[in-house]
Amino acid sequence: VGPSLASVADDASVLMIVYGGTMLSTPGHAAVALIIVLATVLSSHLWLPFLSYLCVFVVVGVAAFLIKTKAVFVCGASDDVRTCQGERHRGDYTHSSKLFSIALQGRVAQGLNASEEQMDWFEDLVTQICEVKRGIFIGEEVPSTLPRWTRGDFRKKLAKLRERAPVEAGWPDGGRLHEPLDDIALSSRLIAAELNVENALNLVRNYQVFRKTTRGGVLPDPQWLNKGITFMPCEDRLGRPCLFIRAKYHRSGNIALFRVGLRSTVDAVKAHLLARRTDRFSEDNPLEQYVMLFDFDGAGWSNLDWEAFHCTIQEGSQRYPNMVAQNYLLNVSTSVRWIWKTACPLMHPRTRRKCCLVAPRDVRACLQKVIPLERLPPQYGGTSASWTGPDEARTLEDQIGELLANVYVRAGVVPDGALPTRAQVEASSAPLSRHASSPSGSEDSDDVGDQGKLSLWGRPCGPFACCF
């Protein structure tokens, strides 16, 4: 069995803890789940925690089966290398004549490669990221059992990958329509592949095929934006984009839209990071990662989606490896935290370190440690503008967050049917204010506002939560 299967269990373990019992919705899911748990146990020899976790797993699973739940809401993208046989769905991409260049338009994104003089520093840096020692504000201390590389191994593997990747799996549009094939891209895949050059090369090749299909980033879909599920308002204290997933707005049933939304959102993260890139590695965020915050406030069984879990595992492992620096699960219930604590000895150490479950009473303090106060809204003790839900949003920035909106505006890919930007709202309201003193002018202003809503939305009621 060995460490490799334990690593494969990484993300699956997280999912089984948070909504573990739902895997028992079919005998096949139950068999796979138990095999993963057994593999982890055999590699760690922790039988007593396994028995206690198994009891909890079965009880939760039976309850989930009785209420016919077959969904799991994903806790994070995968860092593991494995072949995910995902289903092909029609409508994966928004049909449009627009082109979403992840790199800055009119400028070739510069590749960053460590020189021989920098290699010792770069190897130490990548090793710290692999061991989840860097950039973690809240979470478990690094366990002594965390796998470690022998010094010099990364340097040798990177040299081999540098030599083979451009020849066997080059990215012809790298630096122009998406990120370049440089040490950042190669190192992220080596971490995901646990220094296996062949597996890392497969990941490079998969991305090449993927970008040939998309021709740049995946365009945002207006239906996806209207849900308000993904929200990227700011960066954390290390300059990493903070991507909030608001679970209560998610509904299952449209995996094609989910896949488009997932890809377009992560591509926007890439675009934001490339726009910030200079001619040297970032000291705070050298591998250009982001922070994912799952907010379970108000979420229930109806917000869970097993098919979305499979989709996210596939996308995270094959196309966006090792992009998430840390997962924060906010507003997690007491029962889930108890199950997590019981099962922690069975989980891969990297998973325990990378995922942080936060009780409702601790969310405010957690966010203040991760995000500067000037970027947090008042509800979390900050001084920034309030964050609104999709029903209250008036602008694109309110709807999907300042950073995400800026990426789409800068790239010129804001879809028809999306909310207007803040600048557009301010520009349109300025001439109307001249008529505010007359009653007739006031009526005209209201009429124009209603017509604007109808023309933008096709309905006067604004956005509503549907599917994710």
Side-chain angles (χ1 to χ4, degrees):
V1 179
S4 60
L5 279 181
S7 179
V8 167
D10 194 351
D11 285 314
S13 299
V14 179
L15 271 300
M16 285 192 294
I17 303 308
V18 179
Y19 288 108
T22 60
M23 279 186 155
L24 291 179
S25 57
T26 68
H29 294 160
V32 171
L34 290 177
I35 288 173
I36 292 174
V37 174
L38 285 172
T40 310
V41 170
L42 289 174
S43 65
S44 60
H45 307 291
L46 296 174
W47 288 100
L48 290 178
F50 165 69
L51 293 176
S52 61
Y53 170 65
L54 182 61
C55 293
V56 174
F57 179 78
V58 172
V59 170
V60 177
V62 170
F65 178 78
L66 291 177
I67 64 175
K68 298 181 179 180
T69 300
K70 63 176 182 178
V72 175
F73 194 90
V74 66
C75 295
S78 173
D79 290 334
D80 308 311
V81 175
R82 52 191 177 274
T83 302
C84 298
Q85 301 296 333
E87 298 180 3
R88 295 181 180 271
H89 298 274
R90 295 181 179 178
D92 277 0
Y93 302 102
T94 304
H95 297 286
S96 173
S97 59
K98 294 180 180 179
L99 189 66
F100 181 11
S101 174
I102 296 177
L104 285 179
Q105 293 185 347
R107 193 187 82 179
V108 177
Q110 183 174 355
L112 296 178
N113 296 297
S115 64
E116 189 61 31
E117 293 76 17
Q118 292 177 307
M119 190 51 68
D120 287 340
W121 165 81
F122 189 64
E123 181 175 17
D124 290 340
L125 180 149
V126 174
T127 301
Q128 291 176 19
I129 293 175
C130 180
E131 296 177 357
V132 202
K133 289 182 177 178
R134 189 180 182 90
I136 304 297
F137 295 107
I138 302 175
E140 180 182 315
E141 293 297 324
V142 179
S144 58
T145 56
L146 194 64
R148 299 176 185 275
W149 297 337
T150 302
R151 185 167 184 80
D153 281 354
F154 171 78
R155 179 196 298 254
K156 296 175 184 177
K157 303 294 184 180
L158 179 61
K160 290 181 180 179
L161 194 57
R162 279 175 172 177
E163 181 181 351
R164 295 182 58 184
V167 177
E168 301 180 34
W171 295 352
D173 293 324
R176 188 171 59 89
L177 296 181
H178 58 84
E179 72 272 29
L181 184 59
D182 58 4
D183 280 356
I184 292 178
L186 296 179
S187 299
S188 296
R189 285 156 179 83
L190 277 174
I191 292 175
E194 297 184 353
L195 293 190
N196 185 306
V197 174
E198 290 299 329
N199 285 344
L201 188 61
N202 285 335
L203 289 176
V204 175
R205 189 177 293 112
N206 288 341
Y207 198 73
Q208 176 201 55
V209 174
F210 173 55
R211 288 307 178 193
K212 281 184 179 179
T213 306
T214 64
R215 291 287 299 162
V218 176
L219 292 167
D221 190 291
Q223 295 181 62
W224 174 263
L225 301 185
N226 292 349
K227 314 311 172 193
I229 302 166
T230 52
F231 186 73
M232 194 167 75
C234 61
E235 296 176 338
D236 72 353
R237 294 182 182 274
L238 296 181
R240 302 175 300 190
C242 294
L243 179 59
F244 285 79
I245 307 296
R246 301 185 285 192
K248 65 181 178 181
Y249 300 126
H250 168 61
R251 295 293 184 275
S252 62
N254 192 341
I255 191 63
L257 182 62
F258 175 88
R259 191 182 298 272
V260 170
L262 175 65
R263 290 175 175 176
S264 62
T265 302
V266 182
D267 282 348
V269 172
K270 285 178 174 286
H272 173 77
L273 291 169
L274 278 176
R276 288 177 52 89
R277 181 181 289 196
T278 64
D279 60 351
R280 62 186 64 187
F281 291 97
S282 167
E283 291 290 336
D284 294 327
N285 190 18
L287 293 190
E288 298 182 343
Q289 297 175 295
Y290 69 99
V291 174
M292 187 171 285
L293 303 100
F294 289 89
D295 189 357
F296 289 94
D297 182 35
W301 291 106
S302 61
N303 303 114
L304 310 180
D305 192 346
W306 173 252
E307 198 172 15
F309 160 66
H310 281 295
C311 174
T312 307
I313 290 295
Q314 180 190 21
E315 297 297 322
S317 63
Q318 296 297 310
R319 299 182 178 92
Y320 303 101
N322 200 55
M323 282 198 64
V324 179
Q326 190 173 15
N327 289 312
Y328 294 94
L329 282 67
L330 309 177
N331 294 295
V332 177
S333 65
T334 303
S335 58
V336 172
R337 295 197 306 275
W338 180 79
I339 296 173
W340 174 275
K341 184 177 181 180
T342 303
C344 267
L346 303 176
M347 294 164 50
H348 193 281
R350 187 178 294 118
T351 302
R352 301 206 308 265
R353 175 66 170 158
K354 210 167 191 179
C355 296
C356 181
L357 276 66
V358 183
R361 65 178 180 276
D362 299 324
V363 169
R364 184 185 179 104
C366 170
L367 292 181
Q368 289 181 3
K369 290 183 179 179
V370 176
I371 302 173
L373 290 180
E374 62 270 18
R375 300 174 189 169
L376 278 175
Q379 55 261 47
Y380 297 119
T383 57
S384 181
S386 296
W387 296 344
T388 61
D391 292 325
E392 297 82 28
R394 294 181 59 249
T395 67
L396 187 65
E397 289 84 353
D398 295 337
Q399 188 179 50
I400 61 176
E402 191 92 25
L403 294 192
L404 204 53
N406 288 344
V407 169
Y408 292 147
V409 171
R410 184 172 60 243
V413 295
V414 177
D416 296 335
L419 281 175
T421 64
R422 192 169 296 150
Q424 289 173 330
V425 170
E426 292 174 355
S428 63
S429 62
L432 293 178
S433 63
R434 292 197 299 265
H435 304 285
S437 58
S438 67
S440 58
S442 178
E443 289 183 13
D444 290 343
S445 298
D446 292 338
D447 290 340
V448 171
D450 289 340
Q451 290 171 6
K453 290 182 180 179
L454 286 168
S455 63
L456 286 168
W457 294 100
R459 57 184 183 277
C461 58
F464 61 94
C466 183
C467 66
F468 175 50

